[in-house]
Structure formats: C-alpha cells, structure tokens
Amino acid sequence: MVHEMTPEDISGVWELEKLCFSDPWSYEMIENGLKSSLDTWLVLWEEGTAGYCVFRTVADECELLRIAVRPEYRGRGLSKKLMDQMVFYSRQNDVKSIFLEVRESNDRAKNLYKSYGFTEKGVRKHYYLNPCENAVLMVCRDI
C-alpha cells in the first residue's frame, strides 16, 4: 500500500535512507521535507516501511529527488508501484516534465526510468559522493 508520508513514517523512511544511500539525508532533513509545500513524500508499506520516494513539484515540472526500496524487497516491482503513484500524482497536478539524476552505474534504475519514457539528457560530473560518481540526468517530457 502506498500513502503520503505522515510524521509517524519519518523514522522508517530515515532507516531506509541510511540503508539505501551512501550519503544519507539526516532525520531533520526528512522531517523538514515533510513540511515543504513543494515536496510530496510517498511511503510504501509492506510489513513495515518497504520503500519511499520524494519528489518536488514547481509549476508544471517535477523532480524525483529520492526513491528507495528495502534491499530484501527489491525485484518485486515495488519501485514501479512508487513510480506509478508519482506519475499519477504528476498527471493530476498538470505536470508536463519530470527530471531526475541517477548514478551512472545504476543500470537497474535507469532501465526502470526508461520504461516510463525517460531519456538520458546529460551527465553531471562527480555529482555523487561515497563513492564519487557521475550522475546521468534523465527527463520525461510526455507524462
């Protein structure tokens, strides 16, 4: 089940953040993000917090800031459930384009995004830390 994040979900999201990212956001960043009128946080619940995503909408554009699924739940289509909800939300709010950055080496994620119509539009050199890696900028202009 996917739902909008509530204050009760912050701890579970923070746990995933530390588990899934080498440069995790702090608890305070997540807590403050929940208060932002521009950001939408979606939590996927399956016997606990299994995944989440956060995206920022400004005017008719959206940027996927984070998407994560608990490692033991990967390969079950849960990222697709989160992406489906983000796309649904975007269409409901007249979003025309969605942007994101993804690690150059993350072929699994790039393939997921391509299945939604995202195309590679550029590279941001040395964007990620721990380890240092380029980011591929992807965009979907046909939501």
Side-chain angles (χ1 to χ4, degrees):
M1 176 179 89
V2 177
H3 66 272
E4 285 199 38
M5 187 168 79
T6 66
E8 291 76 29
D9 293 312
I10 293 172
S11 292
V13 167
W14 188 50
E15 246 341 276
L16 275 176
E17 185 70 19
K18 294 184 295 183
L19 188 62
C20 296
F21 296 102
S22 60
D23 192 18
W25 289 353
S26 69
Y27 185 94
E28 291 75 22
M29 286 176 72
I30 296 166
E31 189 174 47
N32 289 335
L34 185 58
K35 298 172 189 171
S36 170
S37 63
L38 300 175
D39 297 346
T40 301
W41 294 73
L42 300 177
V43 175
L44 177 66
W45 184 263
E46 287 212 4
E47 302 171 21
T49 305
Y52 79 95
C53 71
V54 58
F55 50 96
R56 178 167 291 155
T57 307
V58 178
D60 65 350
E61 293 184 345
C62 173
E63 180 180 6
L64 178 61
L65 301 173
R66 291 282 219 213
I67 186 167
V69 171
R70 187 172 290 283
E72 63 268 27
Y73 290 159
R74 291 178 185 161
R76 298 184 190 179
L78 301 182
S79 292
K80 187 174 179 339
K81 285 184 181 182
L82 289 165
M83 289 291 294
D84 287 346
Q85 288 299 308
M86 182 190 66
V87 169
F88 176 78
Y89 178 91
S90 296
R91 287 179 178 152
Q92 295 297 107
N93 289 281
D94 298 318
V95 167
K96 305 292 184 228
S97 301
I98 302 176
F99 297 85
L100 60 88
E101 288 97 6
V102 60
R103 280 187 181 270
E104 203 167 42
S105 65
N106 194 344
D107 292 330
R108 191 178 209 177
K110 288 191 293 188
N111 288 336
L112 172 69
Y113 303 140
K114 286 176 184 176
S115 76
Y116 282 85
F118 283 82
T119 56
E120 297 182 15
K121 290 297 179 187
V123 173
R124 296 183 195 267
K125 297 284 186 187
H126 313 295
Y127 183 80
Y128 292 104
L129 305 174
N130 301 328
C132 183
E133 188 173 352
N134 296 337
V136 175
L137 176 62
M138 299 184 78
V139 64
C140 181
R141 295 196 187 277
D142 192 24
I143 301 302

